[in-house]
Amino acid sequence: MLFQSGGPVNDILSMFMGSPVTIAWLSDPTLALVAVMVADIWQWTPLMFLILLAGLVGVPEDQVRAATLLGANPLQRFTLIVLPRMKTIIGIALAIRVIECFKIFDTLFIMTGGGPGVATETISVYIYKIATQDLIWGYVAAIALSILIVLSVVCVWALKRMARVRA
């Protein structure tokens, strides 16, 4: 509802511009993609924030204090102490986010239905359309299985890499 032509986003832009703004966010291919991206980021940022905050809490405070006493500036403390300790957590958060990006369906289907045209059509929306409109079940099953295999390989590779870094 935020991106409707009479919605709050256009109202806020109208306040800043001083004249009525009626941008068709979900009808323009480029703007529809931007609107979907903003909605998806808005939806998943809290989870990513909580995962990264949990990792940040796990960074040993005594090491950060020691680095401060030895004269390390905030950038050095972050790059030399905090970031190496958070690599695994960042990898897990990225893996979850990549998997969620492949799964995105409901936001896209509600906002644009994959359109205008195919501007915001992802693989999950494509699979849905092929399964419900064209009824090519074997093709849909093959695509879904291929996605499962590719994501499994990527996740196993990421987990092995994280285990190697940890060792």
Side-chain angles (χ1 to χ4, degrees), residues 50-82:
L50 288 174
I51 291 171
L52 294 175
L53 179 64
L56 192 59
V57 168
V59 173
E61 197 173 316
D62 58 340
Q63 291 181 359
V64 176
R65 277 196 214 124
T68 304
L69 289 174
L70 292 172
N73 62 35
L75 181 63
Q76 289 172 328
R77 288 192 303 258
F78 178 75
T79 57
L80 297 174
I81 296 171
V82 175

Side-chain angles (χ1 to χ4, degrees), residues 95-119:
I96 289 171
R97 193 65 192 108
V98 165
I99 291 169
E100 288 300 325
C101 284
F102 272 93
K103 284 181 19 177
I104 185 172
F105 175 80
D106 53 348
T107 307
L108 280 170
F109 195 74
I110 290 169
M111 288 179 73
T112 64
V118 292

Side-chain angles (χ1 to χ4, degrees), residues 141-156:
I143 293 173
L145 189 61
S146 300
I147 293 170
L148 175 68
I149 291 169
V150 168
L151 285 177
S152 297
V153 167
V154 168
C155 287
V156 166

Side-chain angles (χ1 to χ4, degrees), residues 2-167:
L2 291 173
F3 294 104
Q4 298 289 332
S5 40
V9 173
N10 282 340
D11 290 343
I12 291 170
L13 289 174
S14 296
M15 286 183 351
F16 284 119
M17 296 294 195
S19 62
V21 174
T22 55
I23 298 173
W25 291 97
L26 302 176
S27 299
D28 182 85
T30 306
L31 294 177
L33 187 60
V34 170
V36 167
M37 287 171 50
V38 167
D40 190 56
I41 290 168
W42 181 271
Q43 181 180 2
W44 289 104
T45 297
L47 177 65
M48 295 299 110
F49 176 79
L50 288 174
I51 291 171
L52 294 175
L53 179 64
L56 192 59
V57 168
V59 173
E61 197 173 316
D62 58 340
Q63 291 181 359
V64 176
R65 277 196 214 124
T68 304
L69 289 174
L70 292 172
N73 62 35
L75 181 63
Q76 289 172 328
R77 288 192 303 258
F78 178 75
T79 57
L80 297 174
I81 296 171
V82 175
L83 196 57
R85 297 275 183 183
M86 299 240 341
K87 277 186 182 176
T88 305
I89 300 297
I90 292 170
I92 291 169
L94 285 174
I96 289 171
R97 193 65 192 108
V98 165
I99 291 169
E100 288 300 325
C101 284
F102 272 93
K103 284 181 19 177
I104 185 172
F105 175 80
D106 53 348
T107 307
L108 280 170
F109 195 74
I110 290 169
M111 288 179 73
T112 64
V118 292
T120 60
E121 188 174 270
T122 61
I123 192 74
S124 57
V125 174
Y126 176 72
I127 288 173
Y128 174 78
K129 285 182 177 181
I130 295 296
T132 58
Q133 293 171 2
D134 299 338
L135 302 174
I136 307 172
W137 297 102
Y139 181 61
V140 168
I143 293 173
L145 189 61
S146 300
I147 293 170
L148 175 68
I149 291 169
V150 168
L151 285 177
S152 297
V153 167
V154 168
C155 287
V156 166
W157 174 78
L159 288 172
K160 284 184 179 181
R161 186 168 178 188
M162 281 190 275
R164 197 174 10 170
V165 167
R166 206 141 169 96

